[in-house]
Amino acid sequence: MGTISLIVESYRNGLAFVFSTSCSECQMQIAFPTSSRVGGQACGTRWECNLTAVWGQMTTGGGHSSLTDSLSVLGVPTMGKKAFVATEKILGHCWKEIMEQSMLKADSDE
């Protein structure tokens, strides 16, 4: 019977990590993501942990430095400023599209 070993972090995007394991006997590799992916028409598919972390900062008036401070106290690696700003732009775009669709629907209902 083979043993399972952690290869290394094979992928990282913001707060999301994907770790890979390998079986010493059959060499089969399995990936384990630390977050699920969510999406819709307006936003595409994104890592849930990145969206919720940035959304939480946006709704409380925080930003990248506030998120970094909170996560560092917990010993959690943070997302880079570039990834934070990109996610912030995506959320802003999604929010705008959803609001426009909602307003058009409300207009057509009247």
Side-chain angles (χ1 to χ4, degrees):
M1 178 172 211
T3 59
I4 303 291
S5 59
L6 181 64
I7 300 172
V8 286
E9 167 192 317
S10 58
Y11 176 78
R12 178 178 180 196
N13 182 288
L15 299 174
F17 293 86
V18 177
F19 295 99
S20 294
T21 60
S22 176
C23 174
S24 64
E25 189 171 311
C26 69
Q27 306 307 314
M28 182 176 166
Q29 292 186 2
I30 300 173
F32 293 97
T34 60
S35 177
S36 39
R37 293 182 66 86
V38 295
Q41 289 180 335
C43 301
T45 304
R46 307 288 174 198
W47 291 105
E48 183 176 23
C49 62
N50 292 337
L51 293 172
T52 55
V54 174
W55 183 256
Q57 291 302 311
M58 290 171 72
T59 59
T60 60
H64 178 259
S65 61
S66 178
L67 177 63
T68 300
D69 290 346
S70 298
L71 293 176
S72 66
V73 168
L74 299 170
V76 176
T78 190
M79 65 190 330
K81 175 100 173 161
K82 186 176 176 180
F84 184 93
V85 170
T87 304
E88 199 172 35
K89 285 180 183 177
I90 289 164
L91 285 169
H93 173 73
C94 294
W95 181 80
K96 181 181 175 204
E97 273 195 40
I98 291 167
M99 291 302 295
E100 285 174 355
Q101 291 169 6
S102 177
M103 289 176 6
L104 288 172
K105 184 180 181 316
D107 185 46
S108 69
D109 289 347
E110 290 192 13

